[in-house]
Amino acid sequence: MSHWPSIAAEKRQRQLKSIPQDWLVSPPPDSTLDVTGFPETCGLLNPQDIEITNASTDVLLEKLASGEWTSVDVTTAFYKRAIIAHQLVNCLTEIFVDRALARAAELDDHLKRTGKVVGPLHGLPISLKDQLCMKGLETTMGYVSWIGQYAEKNAVLVDILLECGAVPFVRTNIPQTLMWGETYNYIFGRTTNPYNRTLTPSGSSGGEGALIALKGSPLGVGSDIGGSIRGPSAFCGLYGLRPSYGRVPYCGAVNSLEGQDSVLSVFGPMANSIGGVKVFMKAVVDTKPWLKDPLAVRKKWDEDEYNLVDHGSGKNLCFGIIWDDGHVVPHPPIRRALEMTKTALEKAGHKVVDWKPIKHGSITEATMNIFIAGSTADFMMATSTTGEPILSTMELDSAVTPIRTVRSGGITAYELWQVQKLRRDTRKEYLDHWEATASATGTGRPVDAIICPVAPYTAFPHGKGMYPNYTMVWNGLDYPASVFPVTTVDPILDAKKHRHDFYDVLDKLIYQMYDPETFKNAPVGLQLVGRTLEEEAVIKMTEIVDAALAAAKPDCK
Amino acid sequence: MSHWPSIAAEKRQRQLKSIPQDWLVSPPPDSTLDVTGFPETCGLLNPQDIEITNASTDVLLEKLASGEWTSVDVTTAFYKRAIIAHQLVNCLTEIFVDRALARAAELDDHLKRTGKVVGPLHGLPISLKDQLCMKGLETTMGYVSWIGQYAEKNAVLVDILLECGAVPFVRTNIPQTLMWGETYNYIFGRTTNPYNRTLTPSGSSGGEGALIALKGSPLGVGSDIGGSIRGPSAFCGLYGLRPSYGRVPYCGAVNSLEGQDSVLSVFGPMANSIGGVKVFMKAVVDTKPWLKDPLAVRKKWDEDEYNLVDHGSGKNLCFGIIWDDGHVVPHPPIRRALEMTKTALEKAGHKVVDWKPIKHGSITEATMNIFIAGSTADFMMATSTTGEPILSTMELDSAVTPIRTVRSGGITAYELWQVQKLRRDTRKEYLDHWEATASATGTGRPVDAIICPVAPYTAFPHGKGMYPNYTMVWNGLDYPASVFPVTTVDPILDAKKHRHDFYDVLDKLIYQMYDPETFKNAPVGLQLVGRTLEEEAVIKMTEIVDAALAAAKPDCK
């Protein structure tokens, strides 16, 4: 038997030591479920720290650029709040305070000397999912077997963020293998949801979700191959964007299922405002990432697309809405959020029509079959040094059962091609389906975007995830999808409704899972889905939806 | 034993019957090698036919749009010349005169009625490689087993060409499986090179190459996964473009290795002028193919990129030149063409520096390994109905040996991922290598484009192809590459030079293959290679090179 538990324990010790002693706080007991109020009351943050960490990305960038706030001040404030967050929900992996502050000081110095910012993200601290290698730092991605692997260079996206003037300041927790909608691994353990710590922040970018929800970071980078940006964004009350393949560079980051060229994982932003999403995307694309990453698409930031030139300039848009995908009916809070959004959009002069979700089952099945074509061999290889177990569940009790499971024997390359061919054909069917809606919108255009659930549920108790298809279908189709927050679970408004008929056993199980008190206070977010490589329009339409929701219910946003 | 030979013979009979009786000519005997002069002297073409078929694409489109020439006249002229070409070099598969002329008449009628063209290709006949399905026509792709498969709908690109006003009028020959640099299959037999019929027109778009060289088509569509547009363009003295993945829609066409998502085959134009290449690319991209093909990249035609905004507006460009790739030294005519091009470019005020071809062997090996991961199973499946043999050589004698060969047993999906990962990493190395040339060009920019051979040889005797890497490396890297003609083999200028040292046995074999008399009169073309998705710039730079060559040697072009 290998000594993997002791290797993991030693790494955790080093992580603990990387936290400045005077930033240690006394977190509330586990019985305190909602910890969102704790950072501002625990005493570690001074009034300026609180003002800084509550500011929107736009305000932060403005004050950093003008020199009103130094990057050292801003980075210190967010770092302190990130460390508080970590003590509440266990969201960080790599902590490197001195390095981040040195970088911030350099930027301050540059601005002072030249009067100019380094780039559009000048001085802004940015948190990074634990895949984004930084030269000289360990990159474990939650694998005990990868402890001691120090990056020889930065991931391309890290270099680009540096070029934009950002301050990478923490890395964040993920599930082992990344292929889970929760966040747990044998090194760093489990990340919990700050709105209710018995619930998951989702995954695999769960560390980001929990951290940003506690305002421990103004802007974070997650990755998404089946919903890993959108789950945590929705479950933690944030904005997020899953861009199309290749819009944001992936080169030089570590990953699972490497070499799988079909359904690609993508990096994208997570933030407390849609403004944060936009500023990240525009900044990254403006650096011409295709000159640094061979898989990055040569497509400039398109201001016409952002101004919705292809969508009637954003007047009288027509949205398709998915109430349920024909497989699993969403819980009452999701239904209410969809209704709120429809009402708000109609009030703002837009149209909302029902969207028929064709072939979502086939698309997700093909996508999943592509993943499992070689995933077992991939996981076995990744864990081979220590022989650490491969997780087979995210349940609280059994998560540490040390069994090396084998989930699939894999298939041949030719068999994989057949799955990929099936998926390609279904993508064509879906594209034609979308184009055909032009006859039903009344705008002369096809539906401008789809509004739909992120999952059939909000944040759920650890280990209880069952159905990734509301997000994974868009990975299979490669449609960009944003997440925006709508409301929170309210046991009165979201009472359980009696249902007799179910699509199948899974639909029934997920129905039975709902209990208003268990899910109380969980954020409810929705997706806005656009056309492949149409990130600019997706962002602008999300701004429109966000404004419509704010206008319709000003006291709620 | 199956009856595949009789099925193939019956199809050939039907093909023969599809030729109008009065378009049958008496072709010269096989001993007449160069048949390029035959079409204009055989008596079938009248003076207007000759004027039309000798006109450039630009002139044709202008006269078609003004109504000076009707589409019926133009289509008839090209059809007659195509049928003559077919009797000389066996370049056609599907022949459908009535259908094409009916379409042409409709377009003429439209122009007459409305005074407007249907689109930018109004009235222009276009030839299509035998992968491009047309509703109601058989699509065999050279497989006897596919005889009788009548397409239920058009390939997306066919629909787009129709939308642009084009007249698809013939389909052209290919090798069985498409995975050969020559053109032979059990249905339609072998296509030969009109400059010397003992030589190959290359492949797999060899039918297109031979047809367009004889001016039997003003514009053709080929496909390219390892050089299949560029080989025939160069061997037949044409212009051609291998665009990046997804720039031209592929959806709805038949293909080999379907579902292979990594090194994608692409469609692209072949023509007698670079103007023909440009008009095709702009017309297709302007129709927004991403709304019809889920794999088509949402990237508009970029006039800034065409105007070389990223390349100093085209003044004082710096080209990298590959004299040899470090594996196989090109034959003397290729060397001379490179020297001519360098001299011409320098005379026009541009700079030419040596390009270091790093890792070309690894890139091509990875690309080839991706193809063979499942190709045997693919070929076996495609030929399963009749049990026709799978070709193992393009040699004249043994090509018809009816043996079902098995070339590779295939690999697992996980093994395929490892190859794909290796390729991805090498693409990154090559990108960095290109960017690093900025320090050596003197322009402040990296090398603007690479000039290089298309193959180590010009058109060669049937069955003697040995080395696809000069083209395949760019498929592996996904760099767009054009072909432009430079000269023809001249036994005096291109005498065999004595060599002592060879890279390896293959290099020696290819050296030994050269004999000035055998290759006499074969066209010599070169490639111009640009950055991924930079088709606009590649076209403009090819115009610049073409003009420089014309200016430097006006009597030769």
Side-chain angles (χ1 to χ4, degrees), chain A residues 259 261-262 292 420 428, chain B residues 259 261-262 292 298 420 428:
Chain A
D261 276 358
S262 189
K292 303 181 182 80
Q420 291 177 168
K428 168 63 173 164
Chain B
D261 276 358
S262 189
K292 300 181 184 80
R298 186 185 189 94
Q420 292 177 167
K428 168 64 173 164

Side-chain angles (χ1 to χ4, degrees), chain A residues 43-82:
Chain A
L44 179 57
L45 304 179
N46 63 39
Q48 197 196 16
D49 292 337
I50 293 173
E51 190 190 351
I52 286 172
T53 52
N54 284 337
S56 73
T57 319
D58 293 346
V59 168
L60 284 164
L61 287 169
E62 198 185 302
K63 290 187 189 277
L64 281 161
S66 72
E68 187 179 336
W69 287 343
T70 66
S71 180
V72 167
D73 283 345
V74 170
T75 303
T76 305
F78 276 106
Y79 227 132
K80 284 159 74 178
R81 196 156 177 160

Side-chain angles (χ1 to χ4, degrees), chain B residues 172-334:
Chain B
T172 57
N173 205 21
I174 70 285
Q176 187 203 45
T177 79
L178 306 180
M179 302 304 281
W180 290 96
E182 303 192 30
T183 301
Y184 176 86
N185 62 66
Y186 291 123
I187 304 177
F188 302 107
R190 186 183 304 273
T191 302
T192 57
N193 192 313
Y195 286 89
N196 180 336
R197 295 193 290 176
T198 63
L199 308 178
T200 179
S202 184
S204 62
S205 315
E208 282 300 329
L211 173 68
I212 301 169
L214 285 163
K215 299 187 181 164
S217 168
L219 188 56
V221 184
S223 71
D224 194 317
I225 196 173
S228 287
I229 286 171
R230 292 162 290 160
S233 296
F235 286 19
C236 299
L238 311 178
Y239 297 79
L241 179 70
R242 179 250 165 229
S244 311
Y245 307 152
R247 200 76 203 270
V248 174
Y250 214 99
C251 189
V254 292
N255 197 5
S256 276
L257 318 186
E258 286 208 277
Q260 184 269 100
D261 276 358
S262 189
V263 179
L264 297 177
S265 175
V266 297
F267 285 124
M270 298 166 66
N272 278 302
S273 67
I274 187 68
V277 168
K278 186 195 169 189
V279 77
F280 173 92
M281 287 301 295
K282 183 166 185 332
V284 170
V285 172
D286 280 348
T287 65
K288 302 185 177 178
W290 50 89
L291 300 180
K292 300 181 184 80
D293 179 346
L295 300 189
V297 179
R298 186 185 189 94
K299 181 174 190 289
K300 298 170 196 158
W301 177 265
D302 190 327
E303 203 62 23
D304 279 350
E305 295 201 344
Y306 176 69
N307 289 321
L308 301 179
V309 166
D310 295 336
H311 298 274
S313 300
K315 312 284 176 218
N316 309 313
L317 295 168
C318 180
F319 295 90
I321 196 162
I322 298 179
W323 301 103
D324 82 67
D325 70 351
H327 297 275
V328 174
V329 175
H331 287 174
I334 314 286

Side-chain angles (χ1 to χ4, degrees), chain A residues 153 156 251 257-262 288 290-295 297-300 302 304-305 310 370-371 373-375 377-378 381 411-414 416-418 420-421 423-424 427-428 431-432 435 531-534, chain B residues 153 156 251 257-262 288 290-295 297-300 302 304-305 310 370-371 373-375 377-378 381 411-414 416-418 420-421 423-424 427-428 431-432 435 531-534:
Chain A
K153 49 184 174 179
V156 163
C251 188
L257 319 186
E258 286 207 276
Q260 184 268 101
D261 276 358
S262 189
K288 303 186 176 176
W290 49 88
L291 300 180
K292 303 181 182 80
D293 179 347
L295 299 189
V297 179
R298 186 184 188 95
K299 181 175 190 288
K300 297 170 195 158
D302 189 328
D304 278 351
E305 295 201 344
D310 294 336
I370 290 168
F371 297 158
S375 59
D378 182 86
M381 187 60 72
I411 56 178
T412 69
Y414 180 73
L416 175 62
W417 290 358
Q418 305 320 300
Q420 291 177 168
K421 183 179 168 188
R423 166 178 171 252
R424 182 202 64 186
R427 286 177 73 181
K428 168 63 173 164
L431 176 56
D432 290 345
E435 284 295 298
R531 316 294 288 264
T532 309
L533 286 173
E534 203 193 20
Chain B
K153 50 183 174 179
V156 163
C251 189
L257 318 186
E258 286 208 277
Q260 184 269 100
D261 276 358
S262 189
K288 302 185 177 178
W290 50 89
L291 300 180
K292 300 181 184 80
D293 179 346
L295 300 189
V297 179
R298 186 185 189 94
K299 181 174 190 289
K300 298 170 196 158
D302 190 327
D304 279 350
E305 295 201 344
D310 295 336
I370 290 167
F371 297 158
S375 58
D378 182 86
M381 186 61 71
I411 56 177
T412 69
Y414 180 73
L416 175 62
W417 290 358
Q418 303 322 300
Q420 292 177 167
K421 182 179 168 187
R423 168 180 170 249
R424 182 202 64 188
R427 286 176 73 181
K428 168 64 173 164
L431 177 57
D432 290 345
E435 284 296 298
R531 318 294 288 263
T532 309
L533 285 173
E534 203 193 19

Side-chain angles (χ1 to χ4, degrees), chain B residues 542-553:
Chain B
T542 307
E543 291 172 14
I544 288 171
V545 174
D546 197 44
L549 280 165
K553 201 161 179 292

Side-chain angles (χ1 to χ4, degrees), chain A residues 17 44 166 172 202 220 231 244 287 323 450 466 468 476 493:
Chain A
K17 281 187 195 150
L44 179 57
T172 58
S202 184
S244 311
T287 65
W323 300 102
I450 299 169
M466 280 182 266
L493 294 174

